[in-house]
Amino acid sequence: DVKVTQSSRYLVKRTGEKVFLECVQDMDHENMFWYRQDPGLGLRLIYFSYDVKMKEKGDIPEGYSVSREKKERFSLILESASTNQTSMYLCASIGQGEGTGELFFGEGSRLTVL
Amino acid sequence: AQSVTQLDSQVPVFEEAPVELRCNYSSSVSVYLFWYVQYPNQGLQLLLKYLSGSTLVKGINGFEAEFNKSQTSFHLRKPSVHISDTAEYFCAVSEFPGNQFYFGTGTSLTVIP
């Protein structure tokens, strides 16, 4: 079974803390994505990566950075967490050239910033 | 970039009644269309997808969707819902040949006993 694993399901952090959200996929997918999900706003793309060490900004990259040192791992970093970054974060992956295929999602990481 | 519109943010429906969740997208260029379902505190999973061919697509759990190119719509239907169908449903569009997916804002389906 294909698997996208997000390391933390629930996190509580304080304003100003640095936050790491880890995502690992076991499908040898080239493309990985980080989305943010908020009620009424749906899924908004933060960053995506087409290959190791490559990254592209999505629609809402401000306040976030990413790291893709290995093909299977895509990390989302909040350098200095703020309360408006309280949200559900979803990682997803898909194989290159498989635009007809499905995005595989992790279970999500619910972050609360106090 | 595509724009995906889900007109209904919340849909309450009685158990065993039919339901339709509406989805419209902005561009008529070649697109691939998807419906995802999200159960509480879980990630999204694929319900069904349209790539080409028959405009009526059948998915898991008795759901189906119809692609209408002229109306740029991809509405999701089920003839008889169950309590277990209570979830958030997202319509998504992918443009050929890229892997960029565009999501609607979601429809919360609540099935009432």
Side-chain angles (χ1 to χ4, degrees), chain A residues 43-63:
Chain A
L43 275 70
R44 293 180 292 169
L45 182 63
I46 305 171
Y47 267 97
F48 60 101
S49 170
Y50 284 142
D51 203 349
V52 175
K53 296 193 185 296
M54 294 186 69
K55 59 185 179 184
E56 297 284 343
K57 292 180 179 179
D59 300 318
I60 53 164
E62 295 78 18

Side-chain angles (χ1 to χ4, degrees), chain B residues 79-93:
Chain B
S80 176
V81 295
H82 302 288
I83 296 291
S84 59
D85 293 324
T86 293
E88 189 88 15
Y89 292 80
F90 291 94
C91 181
V93 172

Side-chain angles (χ1 to χ4, degrees), chain B residues 18-81:
Chain B
V19 70
E20 178 179 82
L21 307 183
R22 296 179 292 170
C23 173
N24 288 86
Y25 60 96
S26 58
S27 173
S28 60
V29 298
S30 294
V31 293
Y32 304 111
L33 300 159
F34 305 80
W35 275 98
Y36 284 83
V37 61
Q38 183 182 35
Y39 298 105
N41 297 316
Q42 293 186 23
L44 279 68
Q45 57 183 250
L46 185 69
L47 202 54
L48 50 78
K49 62 183 177 183
Y50 170 80
L51 307 179
S52 64
S54 172
T55 57
L56 185 63
V57 179
K58 294 190 183 297
I60 62 172
N61 301 337
F63 283 93
E64 62 182 32
E66 185 153 21
F67 169 55
N68 187 318
K69 188 175 182 179
S70 62
Q71 297 186 3
T72 60
S73 68
F74 190 54
H75 300 332
L76 181 71
R77 301 185 183 100
K78 185 169 183 178
S80 176
V81 295

Side-chain angles (χ1 to χ4, degrees), chain A residues 35 94 99 101-103, chain B residues 34 36 92-94 99-103:
Chain A
Y35 290 92
I94 190 170
E102 63 177 285
L103 270 179
Chain B
F34 305 80
Y36 284 83
V93 172
S94 172
N99 283 327
Q100 182 85 299
F101 281 72
Y102 302 91
F103 286 86

